[in-house]
Amino acid sequence: METVKIGIVGCGNISAAYFRTVRAFPVLEAVACADMLPERAQARAEEYGVPKACTMEELLADPEIQIVVNLTTPQSHTPVNLAALEAGKHVYTEKPLAVAREDGAQVIAMAEAKGLRVGCAPGTFLGGGLQTCRKLIDDGVIGRPVAASAFMMSHGHESWHPDPAYYYKLGAGPMFDMGPYYLTALTTLLGPVARMAGMAGIQIGERTITSQPKYGEKIVVETPDHVTGVMEFASGAIGTIITTFATWPSTLPRIEIYGTEGTLGVPDPNTLGGPVTFCKAGTREWQEIPLTHGHFDRVNMWGIGVVDMAYAILEDRPHRATGRQAFHVLDLMNGFLETSAQSAYYTPVSSMERPAPLPTDLPEDALD
Ligand SMILES: NC(=O)c1ccc[n+]([C@@H]2O[C@H](COP(=O)([O-])OP(=O)(O)OC[C@H]3O[C@@H](n4cnc5c(N)ncnc54)[C@H](O)[C@@H]3O)[C@@H](O)[C@H]2O)c1
């Protein structure tokens, strides 16, 4: 089988899930991995049988590599993406595409100028849960979507994460950390946003770490820990979103789409599976809808968007987890914070096309 050769930059926590995806899908071949901490690249190379652990510069100089998969921390996303494009490689980056809108725009512009691809996580919309929702909406099961809600309610990460301070700094917070899952799901189901506004604040300004090894240390919160927003989609549907690290448990649903013919219960967009639920107009009974698509969550396959990009390269078709959609999401995330400070609506500078749905009858180890 023809393969697409990839190089992975950033061999930290999430990289294991990507290496597992490479193992599960023969279309991908990992030929090198790199990290600014060489021992991390070495460890992953040994664990997953990658032929070469090296520096990023060596990886980018390897003429065999077609896609650079960028799994570095958010502040490194833009420099690594630009360097990879400069080296003539397609890139697939972890979320968010960038922290600043201008940086995301620069990455998209360079890729388009060079005729290269940019893909961006999350690829969870390729999972069976969100693909089933997409099909139900496209098949008209809920009628015309009139509204949507998305709620990511949590009290933050200081009770379990070993080093949680970065979640409360610029470029993180609940919107930049979790917003990409919720906004990618909403825009995949409903299309682009035409107008929006947010209200955001630092509601609990100091956190005490209760996880080990930093138990008892204080964190000063520097970016809003509670972000709410309203969105008018270009389709006319109106959306409401809350992302928060400032609330104790809530019973709000993660995502619901409200149509003229019923309500769709959308699964957690930070997963690849279900459940998908539906309540038909005029009734009060919720039914669970069997998934119409495979869900790829056997081994938590976070790299499914890279698999799709590999097939897209081989078949010369558009890939689905696009830089354009990720840039729209980045534009919205910044827009929620900016409009809160300005007391104004924002018209996004970006737009996107909904990614093509997946076929329903895919084999376990292929995506096309
Ligand atoms: N950990 C998760 O559960 C998770 C889930 C989904 C998405 N993500 C995203 O994945 C990305 C990575 O997260 P993580 O948890 O694996 O972080 P991590 O800190 O565990 O790993 C990041 C790795 O990148 C390396 N790195 C940073 N800058 C670099 C550079 N310029 N050149 C080479 N190497 C560099 C670091 O040394 C580190 O090993 C983030 O963007 C995050 O938002 C993480």
Side-chain angles (χ1 to χ4, degrees):
M1 163 179 201
E2 197 178 354
T3 62
V4 171
K5 295 189 171 60
I6 68 169
I8 292 183
V9 180
C11 293
N13 194 2
I14 202 65
S15 66
Y18 278 79
F19 283 111
R20 286 198 296 270
T21 307
V22 173
R23 267 195 186 160
F25 285 89
V27 71
L28 293 179
E29 192 180 341
V31 297
C33 60
D35 196 289
M36 65 204 294
L37 302 174
E39 64 279 12
R40 290 197 175 175
Q42 195 60 48
R44 286 288 189 242
E46 279 165 23
E47 198 179 346
Y48 291 96
V50 181
K52 189 165 66 174
C54 57
T55 64
M56 181 177 84
E57 290 67 28
E58 287 163 345
L59 186 149
L60 296 183
D62 183 336
E64 276 200 320
I65 291 174
Q66 292 164 271
I67 305 175
V68 170
V69 179
N70 180 359
L71 308 182
T72 63
T73 34
Q75 288 72 16
S76 292
H77 286 180
T78 297
V80 171
N81 289 337
L82 291 175
L85 292 168
E86 195 58 60
K89 315 293 189 192
H90 304 294
V91 292
Y92 185 93
T93 183
E94 251 302 335
K95 54 85 188 163
L97 174 64
V99 176
R101 192 185 277 118
E102 302 67 39
D103 289 345
Q106 194 187 353
V107 168
I108 300 293
M110 185 189 280
E112 289 182 355
K114 288 179 167 285
L116 294 166
R117 295 171 185 262
V118 178
C120 186
T124 43
F125 71 89
L126 297 168
L130 286 166
Q131 286 294 314
T132 300
C133 293
R134 169 73 185 268
K135 184 163 165 46
L136 291 169
I137 292 174
D138 289 359
D139 290 351
V141 171
I142 67 164
R144 177 173 55 83
V146 297
S149 61
F151 302 115
M152 195 297 293
M153 313 299 286
S154 92
H155 203 268
H157 299 303
E158 61 272 24
S159 62
W160 65 271
H161 195 285
D163 194 7
Y166 88 90
Y167 283 108
Y168 298 97
K169 307 297 173 198
L170 190 69
M175 181 52 82
F176 274 77
D177 180 45
M178 295 301 289
Y181 296 104
Y182 288 75
L183 293 167
T184 302
L186 287 176
T187 54
T188 295
L189 298 175
L190 297 174
V193 171
R195 188 169 70 121
M196 56 164 301
M199 190 164 286
I202 296 176
Q203 303 302 87
I204 303 175
E206 187 185 80
R207 306 298 180 111
T208 305
I209 300 176
T210 54
S211 60
Q212 294 296 348
K214 299 200 167 178
Y215 184 90
E217 282 185 28
K218 304 281 186 202
I219 302 171
V220 176
V221 178
E222 293 173 8
T223 193
D225 59 358
H226 188 87
V227 184
T228 65
V230 287
M231 295 161 276
E232 183 178 62
F233 289 85
S235 69
I238 293 176
T240 309
I241 187 168
I242 302 177
T243 61
T244 183
F245 288 161
T247 61
W248 293 113
S250 157
T251 53
L252 286 170
R254 301 211 189 244
I255 298 183
E256 287 181 345
I257 309 287
Y258 310 97
T260 52
E261 304 302 324
T263 299
L264 183 63
V266 177
D268 182 348
N270 193 9
T271 65
L272 292 152
V276 173
T277 55
F278 174 61
C279 187
K280 196 170 164 48
T283 75
R284 292 190 168 272
E285 278 124 50
W286 287 88
Q287 46 177 306
E288 187 169 339
I289 306 287
L291 300 189
T292 53
H293 292 67
H295 43 81
F296 304 126
D297 64 357
R298 301 168 265 155
V299 285
N300 185 9
M301 261 173 283
W302 237 222
I304 196 72
V306 188
V307 178
D308 178 62
M309 186 186 264
Y311 278 108
I313 290 168
L314 294 178
E315 293 163 8
D316 197 22
R317 62 154 173 85
H319 57 280
R320 291 180 169 88
T322 64
R324 283 256 156 221
Q325 183 169 8
F327 181 57
H328 190 53
V329 167
L330 177 66
D331 194 14
L332 301 182
M333 294 194 298
N334 276 293
F336 289 125
L337 298 184
E338 291 160 357
T339 50
S340 177
Q342 296 158 356
S343 303
Y345 281 103
Y346 173 66
T347 302
V349 294
S350 59
S351 193
M352 53 162 278
E353 285 180 16
R354 296 200 306 160
L358 283 172
T360 51
D361 51 355
L362 292 173
E364 277 269 292
D365 61 350
L367 209 130
D368 257 325

